[in-house]
Amino acid sequence: MSQNPTERLEEVKDRIKRAAERASRNQDDVLLLAVSKTKPESDIMELYRAGQRDFGENYVQELTAKREHLPEDISWHMIGHLQRNKVKYIAPFIAMIHSVDSPELAETIEKEAAKNHRVIPVLIEVNVAGEDSKFGVSPENAPALADTVMKLPHVLLKGFMTSAPMTDNPENVRCVFRQLRQLTVDMNLKNNNNEKVDFLSMGMSGDYEVAVEEGSTCVRVGTALFGERDYGPAN
Ligand SMILES: *Cc1c(COP(=O)(O)O)cnc(C)c1O
């Protein structure tokens, strides 16, 4: 791995470009989300100066605290499990919520978005591999939740998000990405009168190249940009 976040950013972008080319896709159709959880504002600023504008965080408190000191033109994405009582803190500014996993959460987002006179783009989190340790709805239940979300006037369903199981060999999780993409293909066939629901948030440091080959439109990359995370002794 290269030495500093700026060099790593170039390397990750280059790998995304080459993966996109292998799948006859355009690199510009893949958003690189820099996952900055546990990382200091100085690291975020380094990537910001290198041109990065989309950042992802997992915890509402960490996100809102960092945002106060950072440039206003950063697009913040909520990628972690979201509690309903925290939605109000991010509703005024959040660019996208990747982790909608229940009708109740979607309805809370609707209420808070309406209060802020905005429409909030969201993704439904799908637990494709059915892991106990992960949040998200099952692939079987995703279409029903999608139908519910699409009825909410201040919530815009853009697509789906998943985190593949940990693996040493990303080829092992190619099928997970393929399954999530198939979900969007099936949904768009069914809803041919609606706006396309085709945003796919999938791929992390260990597997983003395979995810891009399988149609990801947003990779969420932390470690490969910022280095290993240190959660500290308290955790
Ligand atoms: C932490 C996290 C990431 C980034 O993981 P890396 O392996 O460090 O790239 C992506 N998505 C979610 C939901 C995360 O919690």
Side-chain angles (χ1 to χ4, degrees):
M1 195 157 28
S2 337
Q3 286 312 299
N4 61 56
T6 307
E7 285 168 8
R8 290 178 193 149
L9 180 66
E10 288 317 306
E11 180 175 340
V12 169
K13 280 186 185 168
D14 192 53
R15 285 175 178 272
I16 290 171
K17 179 167 184 276
R18 279 181 282 151
E21 280 167 3
R22 286 196 292 279
S24 304
R25 302 185 58 210
N26 190 335
Q27 167 190 29
D28 298 336
D29 295 334
V30 184
L31 176 69
L32 171 57
L33 188 57
V35 177
S36 46
K37 63 179 179 226
T38 79
K39 296 296 174 182
E41 289 158 18
S42 55
D43 281 6
I44 296 176
M45 275 314 294
E46 183 171 347
L47 287 196
Y48 180 87
R49 281 189 290 267
Q52 179 68 25
R53 289 295 179 273
D54 289 87
F55 290 87
E57 289 278 345
N58 290 56
Y59 305 100
V60 167
Q61 206 178 344
E62 184 178 347
L63 197 172
T64 53
K66 282 176 175 169
R67 178 175 173 269
E68 268 184 42
H69 309 120
L70 289 165
E72 277 189 12
D73 64 340
I74 288 180
S75 292
W76 292 101
H77 296 244
M78 177 63 195
I79 64 172
H81 183 63
L82 181 56
Q83 287 171 307
R84 292 167 63 193
N85 60 359
K86 302 271 174 69
V87 173
K88 57 178 177 285
Y89 301 113
I90 59 171
F93 65 85
I94 201 78
M96 188 180 277
I97 296 173
H98 292 229
S99 45
V100 173
D101 60 0
S102 73
E104 292 78 16
L105 175 59
E107 271 150 30
T108 304
I109 297 169
E110 165 64 26
K111 200 178 76 194
E112 296 298 332
K115 267 192 215 162
N116 286 280
H117 309 289
R118 61 182 299 240
V119 174
I120 298 182
V122 306
L123 306 175
I124 288 174
E125 180 171 2
V126 184
N127 185 353
V128 175
E131 291 174 281
D132 289 340
S133 59
K134 292 216 168 95
F135 292 102
V137 295
S138 68
E140 295 72 33
N141 291 333
L145 181 54
D147 284 343
T148 303
V149 173
M150 282 190 289
K151 291 192 186 105
L152 303 171
H154 297 88
V155 181
L156 179 61
L157 181 66
K158 299 290 283 182
F160 299 94
M161 178 268 235
T162 199
S163 301
M166 287 289 228
T167 174
D168 290 337
N169 180 359
E171 284 301 331
N172 295 339
V173 294
R174 186 180 287 277
C175 56
V176 170
F177 301 137
R178 207 168 270 182
Q179 202 180 331
L180 194 69
R181 186 174 128 71
Q182 192 59 45
L183 199 68
T184 68
V185 171
D186 294 345
M187 260 204 47
N188 285 308
L189 283 175
K190 219 177 61 180
N191 299 308
N192 51 5
N193 52 338
N194 284 324
E195 205 176 329
K196 271 226 163 81
V197 176
D198 56 6
F199 193 97
L200 283 173
S201 171
M202 57 187 198
M204 302 169 35
S205 291
D207 55 23
Y208 67 91
E209 292 164 275
V210 170
V212 169
E213 288 172 12
E214 293 301 329
S216 171
T217 65
C218 174
V219 292
R220 309 181 307 271
V221 180
T223 311
L225 291 172
F226 296 110
E228 295 290 336
R229 283 180 291 274
D230 180 3
Y231 287 96
N235 294 294

